[in-house]
Amino acid sequence: MLYAIISEDVDNSLEKRKGVRSAHLERIQGLVDEGRVIVAGPHPSIDTEDPGEAGFTGSLIVAEFNNLKDAQDWADADPYVAAGVYARVTVKPFKKVLP
């Protein structure tokens, strides 16, 4: 089943993000390699794809997991969580309807 992992950053998270970005992306790449990711990416804090020093306000991953517990466990082990990038992470089932 698909699950949405919706993460909200702490204020001024950019430097924390930069410090562990490669480890964060490496974990997601593992899911991509397994064909489990539908979409993944950050939420720019301003209305542009490259917010520069304005940074990001959070992230969204929609990916396939066996169950909610597996999705939550995966999200809890994210390097961004350990580094204090995220203030809050919500994991919930997602039903893809379109396209």
Side-chain angles (χ1 to χ4, degrees), residues 49-60:
E49 286 192 28
D50 182 3
E53 292 302 311
F56 301 91
T57 62
S59 302
L60 170 67

Side-chain angles (χ1 to χ4, degrees), residues 62-80:
V62 177
E64 184 177 346
F65 291 91
N66 290 327
N67 54 55
L68 181 58
K69 182 183 181 327
D70 287 352
Q72 185 69 61
D73 289 348
W74 188 91
D76 289 345
D78 192 307
Y80 279 178

